[in-house]
Amino acid sequence: MIEARELCKNFKDKKRGVVKAVDHVSFSCKAGEVYGLLGPNGAGKTTTLRILSTALKPTSGTAIINGTDVTVDPQKVRSQIGFLSGNTGLYGRLTAREMVTYFGNLYGMEKQAIRRRSDELFALLDMKDFADSRNEKLSTGMKQKVSIVRSVLHDPPVMVFDEPTNGLDVMSSRTIVDFIKHCRDSGKCVIFSTHIMSEAMRLCDRVAIIHNGRIYREGTVNDLLQATGQNNLEDAFIKIVGE
Amino acid sequence: MQLRNIGTIFRKEVKDTIRDRRTMIFAFVMPIMAMPLLMTVIFKIQMGAVQKIEHARSDIVIQNIAELPKDLHDSLMADTSLFQVKTEADYPGKNLLDELKQKAFQLLVIVPNNFTKAIELESPTGIEVYYDRGEELSSAAYGKLDSVMTCYRDRVVESRVVKRQISKDVLRPFDIQGNNVASAQKVAGKLFGGIIPYFLILTCFLGAMSPAIDLGAGEKERGTIETLMVAPATRGEFVLGKYFVIMLTGIMAGLMSLASMTIFFRYMASDPTMKQMAEMLAIQFDMRTLFLILAVVIPVAGIFAAILLSISIFAKSAKEAQGYVGFLNFVLVLPAFAALVPGVELNYQIALIPIVNISLIIKYAIAGTIEWKYVITAFVSLFALAALALYFAKRWFEREEVLFRM
Ligand SMILES: Nc1ncnc2c1ncn2[C@@H]1O[C@H](COP(=O)(O)OP(=O)(O)O)[C@@H](O)[C@H]1O
Ligand SMILES: [Mg+2]
């Protein structure tokens, strides 16, 4: 469902010159699978996910999302994807319902469909009490729930999460983790990035170790542990990247 | 480009903007309050100052007052609210010129010896008056004294002519009658024609500024820009949806300011205490003038909205955007002063210069002397610039370097 082929992305940076943020990255991810990009800050995770979700154009290489090439028809790709990141913000002066409706409209959904689907999701995530109050009045956890509803309202087959638990407390992180599992169980193809090893171990069917824009190794968590002879992912990561 | 998407974005941004208190202050409250407040303050200060000078009693010191002819002496004493007359005896041992410089009094009159006699004998004589040109009160006192003296001199001349058995008509062979042909509207237009367009353009800019910052840099600051970029609407649709909201707010602010000015001038003109200014206040925003002003505010808002949106989407934060906009305010609104510069007249070249053309058109329209060929020239120039700025904003929105600037 997601297929990244030799993705490259160069940025021109004033101080550092040309930065190879993503360097020949290839991988694939099927429906019903959670694929993790595990790497430290600056590894190129966000850039990779932005290319997949068409916010950025690759310098070279391409990705096929649910059969559509991101460089050929980005518009069509966008409607196939739900996108959520840890620092996704909300419109403070809109209510959760208004905000979600706005995005539903942008995704071309019909009025009744938006209404039905958002009610369903508000109930599922236990949001009924604050669905009609302004976003600026909500707690961080509540806000993240609004973002979740926004990202899946149009029921996309592919979900892209960029460090979705960044800056969240334990309870809200749990909501996100449960939500990712829910997406996987309902047959979506999920790609997700993190720098937290334990999160990757807990959630991912397969993990790619990414560093300096390159994928060093890829496989199930067990594969990676076995191949490096370590018993936790953190040590395995150091071993792989240090080689 | 889909109309449906532009509509969705437009409606959302309108809702968001209406709930933004800052924007509402800039777009509604300020334009309504600004002009009346400023004008009231200016009027009050000016009228107060004029009254203070005209009605203040002047202290004058007359040296050698005994030599003053009785007629002149009486005229000076007649109105005690005009002059408070003192003599050198009130300042014993003091240098009177120094006292004048120290503002102890406003005028020093030195009457020469035998002054009365010289006038009776019709021999040449003179009277010395010292005043301080740097002091408004002193200058005003000099003016008042001068008119009293001149009246007295005229009476002396008259009596000498009559004594020689010549008709006093000989002194005034003809009268000059000055008649003003300018309509009150033109006079007022000349006076306020410059300040009104400046206010309109400024409020229009300030009205568009606040939502522009919020709709551009605000998306980055809130961290919502990414969600927009991955939503299926095109960048062009986002630009247009946002653009129209910003433009509308700018137009709204301009309208509010115009409405407030119209009402203000009507009210002031009907205020009896403003009677002496009635002619100055005869600004008549007739339907044609109002319509024309409205019509020019639209492209102005269009230009401002496009430029502001471009700048705002380039900035990484609202604060950065504010910095650019402060500078832009200076560059874009400054040309509106053109109408305040005396001698700047509309011609084809000037009608092509954006903002300058608007301020002059509004000024001429208020004075009722607008020429349509210049209006059309200006409109062509304004709409061309607005379209160019909008195209640029769209291109800007499509660039990764701008949207994800590090
Ligand atoms: N818009 C940009 N301009 C210049 N450099 C960038 C830009 N975005 C990311 N980079 C650089 O690319 C590299 C990868 O960044 P990123 O993808 O954000 O990493 P991660 O998400 O794994 O922390 C970093 O060195 C970062 O500084
Ligand atoms: Mg990142």
Side-chain angles (χ1 to χ4, degrees), chain A residues 9 50 53-57 75 78 83 88-91 93-94 98 102 105-109 134 150, chain B residues 4 8 12 15-16 19-20 214 219 222-224 226-235 400 404:
Chain A
K9 182 69 185 180
R50 279 180 178 167
S53 55
T54 76
L56 294 175
K57 285 193 181 70
Q75 213 61 8
R78 286 174 193 162
F83 179 90
T88 303
L90 304 178
Y91 297 107
R93 294 184 294 269
L94 298 190
E98 285 165 344
Y102 173 47
N105 280 322
L106 287 180
Y107 279 88
M109 295 172 71
R134 288 198 190 180
R150 191 220 76 228
Chain B
R4 183 193 136 127
T8 299
K12 179 260 164 190
K15 196 184 282 172
D16 209 350
R19 290 179 189 173
D20 182 6
D214 196 55
E219 297 274 7
R222 277 185 295 258
T224 42
E226 238 182 343
T227 52
L228 292 189
M229 294 304 104
V230 302
T234 65
R235 314 266 151 111
E400 294 175 354
F404 298 105

Side-chain angles (χ1 to χ4, degrees), chain B residues 283-304:
Chain B
I283 298 257
Q284 281 158 17
F285 290 112
D286 53 41
M287 281 328 272
R288 210 181 74 168
T289 310
L290 280 178
F291 182 76
L292 183 66
I293 293 178
L294 277 189
V296 289
V297 164
I298 291 170
V300 172
I303 293 169
F304 286 169

Side-chain angles (χ1 to χ4, degrees), chain B residues 126-189:
Chain B
I127 202 160
E128 271 179 279
V129 182
Y130 292 89
Y131 70 108
D132 184 341
R133 186 78 182 271
E135 288 296 322
E136 280 170 346
L137 286 175
S138 185
S139 301
Y142 179 70
K144 287 187 289 187
L145 182 80
D146 190 54
S147 62
V148 173
M149 295 273 203
T150 309
C151 279
Y152 171 68
R153 196 173 55 190
D154 288 349
R155 287 199 298 278
V156 172
V157 172
E158 244 180 74
S159 71
R160 290 178 185 181
V161 166
V162 170
K163 207 165 79 186
R164 285 169 176 76
Q165 298 186 327
I166 302 171
S167 159
K168 63 180 176 186
D169 290 343
V170 98
L171 295 172
R172 208 177 171 82
F174 61 89
D175 278 334
I176 304 163
Q177 200 183 340
N179 293 307
N180 177 16
V181 295
S183 64
Q185 188 189 9
K186 189 169 171 187
V187 173

Side-chain angles (χ1 to χ4, degrees), chain A residues 90-116:
Chain A
L90 304 178
Y91 297 107
R93 294 184 294 269
L94 298 190
T95 67
R97 191 183 297 281
E98 285 165 344
M99 167 135 179
V100 162
T101 307
Y102 173 47
F103 279 91
N105 280 322
L106 287 180
Y107 279 88
M109 295 172 71
E110 294 302 325
K111 218 173 179 171
Q112 295 91 331
I114 294 174
R115 176 102 210 162
R116 198 179 53 240

